[in-house]
Amino acid sequence: VSAFSVASVVVAVTDLWPSMTLLKDDSMQPELIRRLEGRFQVKAEEIPRLIEELRIGRNMNFLVDYSLPAAILTVMVTCLHVAQLALQNQYLRRYDWCPLKREEYILQVIMLPAVYGVVSFRCVLRVLVVMIADAKWDNPSTTSKTWHEFVSFNVDQYDTNFAVADFAEMCAMFYFTRLCVDLLRDAFTTTALYNAFAAMTMQGIHAFVLVGMLRALISIIMQRGGIYTRIY
């Protein structure tokens, strides 16, 4: 899954990166102006202000250029930790790769950086799409008619991606708490006492994860329905 996610991001970057000179090279301003005026019908008096707002500053160039390698490195390190865990528990020496409950919890926690890194990098892509006025990344269901609709769609996609990333973080916290509660089982003298402790501990975590899941689902549903939470 992580490899597929990284591959999809790499394909997206390959599509966007040639246009990044629009933000760094003054000689490319006419192309950016053509996109704003032709596709989004931005008024001529608004063009200079938008050009200035969309430009990437010198101090941000480094972060933009190396955000993708950082995301890929995060996934590679995560996969390395997963491989180490699998080898330590001899999963790879069996045909049925089915980890035990505790190992499953550990895997979910270990995979968080990869999931969060890839999804949050998709937020970076949405910002870059706006900054280069790339209409190919417009809403496929309801094509934006104005620049403000285009920005609203992509910024909402940005928020949706982060909502999904936050939900993944909440799930990792859920599994980490389950792991801790499971490891404390032997510290209790009676099963009834342990069950009461586990129920009280997990109650808040369940509510936390439920709220995160609802937030992500509502964000996705509104996004698919063309209902923007931010209007520009």
Side-chain angles (χ1 to χ4, degrees), residues 136-149:
K136 290 184 295 184
W137 288 64
D138 199 359
N139 191 338
S141 58
T142 57
T143 303
S144 302
K145 298 180 177 61
T146 66
W147 170 251
H148 299 289
E149 290 180 356

Side-chain angles (χ1 to χ4, degrees), residues 179-203:
L179 177 64
C180 293
V181 170
D182 191 51
L183 291 174
L184 290 173
R185 182 187 299 271
D186 296 335
F188 291 86
T189 55
T190 63
T191 303
L193 187 60
Y194 169 77
N195 291 338
F197 165 77
M200 292 182 62
T201 302
M202 296 303 300
Q203 183 177 8

Side-chain angles (χ1 to χ4, degrees), residues 4-170:
F4 176 78
S5 300
V6 172
S8 65
V9 171
V10 171
V11 171
V13 171
T14 304
D15 181 51
L16 285 177
W17 227 249
S19 299
M20 291 305 297
T21 53
L22 295 173
L23 306 175
K24 301 178 182 180
D25 189 354
D26 292 338
S27 64
M28 297 298 293
Q29 278 194 14
E31 172 62 21
L32 185 57
I33 293 174
R34 185 188 65 80
R35 293 185 179 188
L36 292 172
E37 289 182 335
R39 172 62 181 81
F40 299 106
Q41 300 178 357
V42 178
K43 296 180 180 179
E45 56 269 21
E46 296 182 5
I47 293 294
R49 176 181 61 82
L50 287 178
I51 292 295
E52 187 63 28
E53 290 179 355
L54 297 176
R55 182 174 301 280
I56 296 180
R58 292 179 179 272
N59 57 335
M60 295 295 293
N61 282 340
F62 175 83
L63 296 177
V64 172
D65 291 340
Y66 288 93
S67 55
L68 176 61
I72 295 177
L73 180 62
T74 300
V75 174
M76 292 175 62
V77 172
T78 301
C79 292
L80 177 62
H81 285 298
V82 172
Q84 289 178 341
L85 178 65
L87 290 174
Q88 289 172 0
N89 290 274
Q90 298 183 349
Y91 293 153
L92 298 183
R93 299 180 184 180
R94 302 186 306 175
Y95 289 103
D96 54 333
W97 194 66
C98 184
L100 301 176
K101 183 171 64 175
R102 289 184 179 180
E103 282 74 13
E104 176 66 21
Y105 296 160
I106 295 173
L107 283 173
Q108 294 292 341
V109 175
I110 290 177
M111 288 299 296
L112 173 63
V115 175
Y116 202 98
V118 171
V119 178
S120 59
F121 182 76
R122 296 186 70 87
C123 298
V124 176
L125 291 180
R126 285 296 167 180
V127 174
L128 295 179
V129 164
V130 172
M131 298 181 76
I132 63 177
D134 193 340
K136 290 184 295 184
W137 288 64
D138 199 359
N139 191 338
S141 58
T142 57
T143 303
S144 302
K145 298 180 177 61
T146 66
W147 170 251
H148 299 289
E149 290 180 356
F150 176 72
V151 174
S152 297
F153 168 74
N154 282 285
V155 171
D156 265 20
Q157 284 278 43
Y158 174 97
D159 291 337
T160 299
N161 285 327
F162 260 128
V164 174
D166 289 340
F167 176 62
E169 184 179 15
M170 294 174 186

